[in-house]
Amino acid sequence: MNEPNKRISVPSEAKAGDIVEIKTLIMHPMHNGYKFTTQGTRIPVNIIDEFVCTFNDEEVVRVDLRTGISANPYVSFFARVDVSGTFRFTWHDDKGPVYEETADIVVV
Amino acid sequence: MLTRRRLIGTSVALAAVALAGAPVQAASDPEADEVDYETARQNLLGDQAAIPGGIAITLPSVAGSGNSVPLTISVEADPAAGPVRLHVFAPRNPRPHVCSVTLGPRAGKAEFSTKIRLNGTQELIAFAELPGGVLRTASKTIDVTIGACESLEFNP
């Protein structure tokens, strides 16, 4: 499968101790297993079941997503930054693939 | 229904979990999630009593479609004092457990937003596990015109 599109919103710079808002979205159908194709076959469950965000390898947020999350799962939260560093975002597909994205922030 | 195949599958999964020492609720299992709300809550939180309040749920009061409803949960707590865990339940969904969130000490605020699926008008329930072992709860009613699981049966 192709790498899905992802959208990340992280401020490029912040002051030490700032609380920044982070918004993330990944394109994924989040099949809940209740839909059928036009041929009448059930589409099996296929979701992103875990999302993790780390800042300089320290975990910020971990989300356990289920089928009750909308397609193209959107997750937004806040992080406190004291030093410059890298946010790493990881999405785990329940069929195995893991998608990653990073964003840098500079503390001025 | 408990079949031999499923029993073996479950035993293998449990053994794997025991070996890895991982939390039991780590991986999602759509079949195991398909239970009523009381069971889902019991599986996740046990018998622990929850104190109402301390959580603000931001959710529209009416949603035309249940496919994508914006939800924000904000808890009166500071994650810097210890991890805050949030659980969201939609009791009328076929799988009531919507998501669980762990906000670590690096999270600036005990606040989280996402978009959820809702199968009809219902009362959304949120729980927050706070560092001191306190469990808070709050709920909000939402009118949903068209649910997210409309095509449960094949209907061309």
Side-chain angles (χ1 to χ4, degrees), chain B residues 91-109:
Chain B
R92 268 190 67 191
N93 280 15
R95 300 188 192 107
H97 182 204
V98 175
C99 66
S100 290
V101 185
T102 307
L103 296 160
R106 186 46 61 183
K109 284 187 203 176

Side-chain angles (χ1 to χ4, degrees), chain A residues 31-49:
Chain A
H31 289 304
N32 60 12
Y34 295 125
K35 305 281 170 172
F36 292 83
T37 64
T38 48
Q39 309 303 311
T41 42
R42 183 186 283 265
I43 305 168
V45 174
N46 179 208
I47 58 170
I48 298 284
D49 64 355

